[in-house]
Amino acid sequence: MQNGSQTEQPIPVTAELQYDGRTVTLPRIDPSMGDHGIGISRLRSETGMVSYDPGLANTASCRSAITYLDGENGVLMHHGYAIEDLAQHCVFLEVALLLITGTLPNREERSQFTRLMNKNSMLHEGMIQFFDNYPENSHPMAILSAMVVSLSSFYPEIAGPISEVPLDETVTNLLSKMRTIAAFSYKKSIGEPFVYPSHKLRYCENFLNMMFSSPVADYQIDPVVETTLNRFLILHADHEQNASTTVVRGVGSSGTNLYASIAAGISSLWGTLHGGANQAVIEMLEDIRNSGKRVKQIVEQAKDRSNPFRLMGFGHRVYKTYDPRARIAKQSCRELLDHLGIGRDPLLDIAVELEEAALADDYFLEKKLYPNVDFYTGITYRAMGIPTNMFTVMFALGRLPGWIAHWLEMRNDPEQRIVRPRQIYVGQKPRAFVPVQERG
Ligand code: CMC
């Protein structure tokens, strides 16, 4: 069977698997766009075998209508809208609603959602004291994950049928409160008092104000910073079955509540191969600047198979071309630096040089490794004054509506079952038990 998007040939309705003299017929699963699937749910019962696919790189774990991704051509769409249009014309909350409800809100729906978000923006005072018990050098991702799962002790689970949920209190609670938790974890880390959310401010304004104003000094919200933040959160809003979304769906598949499922997704995102890459990129660029290493040296190091080092912010499981989000992030990064009058940021210069060196190198070209979304976001967050250890929290804030949308879709999907894969056992065969006194 071939990829339907790349051939004019009719695609067979079934695939056949021949094994040990038997032929098993496997049904074709049709998409609205993109890769067709082969249904293997009867594979084991009919052959006694299971499929083996480390990292699930060739496995579709669900049917989903939320996000379309064409990695060969660098296309990303949410409910049919191109990421370029959404990033250019929307604010983050519109895209959040699009992901969760399937449609872009009209003015009235947008205002209603903003009212709900404001209503739910404060944290229960009982949760505030939790922050005091974290050591000052705690990573904000640890705090975020723990605080989000704690929400399930303070707030109700989704009420009523999941199919009617979209603007349910649990969903708006999460969307609104996670922003407050993120800002509070930063204030805690710098030993400043918390700044509470305000009903007078929009979503991104509110976040910036909670992060950067203090009882002794107001923070002047720069509209270009606000626009850039909206855009970056939109770039992160969803990316179909990535590692953390798969975790959210997997955890939720056992019937776990939304808060706990999202907390697990936050933990998955933290890793440097996933959302943690944005922090790792800046650390890599700073290391190059501070050590005086040449960019060429770094590229050679990344190519050396005996060295575990990888070029952070490069490569992607699905994109085999330039990540469309990275293109938008790079452009926005330049615009913001110009607007802020930062002029030349040495880290941006190193990043651009690194990108040029890698994209001129056969190793990266042959393996189709291009900058991904994390390559330019950190430099931009840094220019906004957001500290390095908060970068992955920013990614989590952006990804939240995507996680929620997938969790809801999973719960409403009659085909979904508890996630419970098989394995190929390679351990010991049965052996005789040895009592402790006889063990050597
Ligand atoms: N630097 C050097 N070599 C690389 C890199 C890199 N950044 N990425 C992949 N390769 C090589 C890899 O060594 C392998 O080589 P070989 O075929 O000789 O064994 C080949 O390219 C294929 O890589 P892979 O690890 O099999 O690919 P994957 O799909 O399993 O992993 C990835 C994808 C994103 C984890 C990987 O490209 C990577 O580690 N990138 C750096 C970390 C990063 O930037 N992560 C953010 C991803 S995008 C945002 C997000 O999802 O959060």
Side-chain angles (χ1 to χ4, degrees), residues 122-134 143-155 173 177-178 180-181 184 194 196 259:
M122 273 205 298
L123 281 182
H124 191 291
E125 283 295 308
M127 286 187 77
I128 305 280
Q129 50 192 275
F130 292 178
F131 287 96
D132 289 336
N133 296 313
Y134 288 99
I143 301 179
L144 187 68
S145 177
M147 294 296 273
V148 168
V149 76
S150 302
L151 289 172
S152 53
S153 302
F154 288 83
Y155 299 98
N173 247 333
K177 288 186 172 49
M178 200 159 113
T180 309
I181 293 169
F184 281 16
F194 300 135
Y196 280 65
Y259 303 113

Side-chain angles (χ1 to χ4, degrees), residues 411-425:
R411 281 292 184 91
N412 279 324
D413 182 349
E415 287 187 336
Q416 279 303 302
R417 305 162 73 192
I418 184 169
V419 171
R420 204 308 183 186
R422 296 277 177 169
Q423 64 170 11
I424 312 278
Y425 177 69

Side-chain angles (χ1 to χ4, degrees), residues 269 272-275 277 302 305 309-317 320 325 363-364 367 369 372-374 395:
L269 186 76
T272 50
L273 298 186
H274 195 5
R305 296 198 69 166
F309 173 77
R310 284 184 167 198
L311 205 52
M312 298 315 290
F314 253 76
H316 198 276
R317 169 64 60 78
K320 299 303 162 201
R325 303 166 302 170
Y363 172 96
F364 288 88
K367 294 187 189 298
L369 302 170
N372 60 49
V373 69
D374 291 317
F395 194 147

Side-chain angles (χ1 to χ4, degrees), residues 1 8 92 101 134 165 184 191 194 220 310 385 424 426 432:
M1 188 183 285
E8 296 294 316
F92 174 60
T101 66
Y134 288 99
V165 156
F184 281 16
F194 300 135
Q220 290 302 323
R310 284 184 167 198
I424 312 278
V426 294

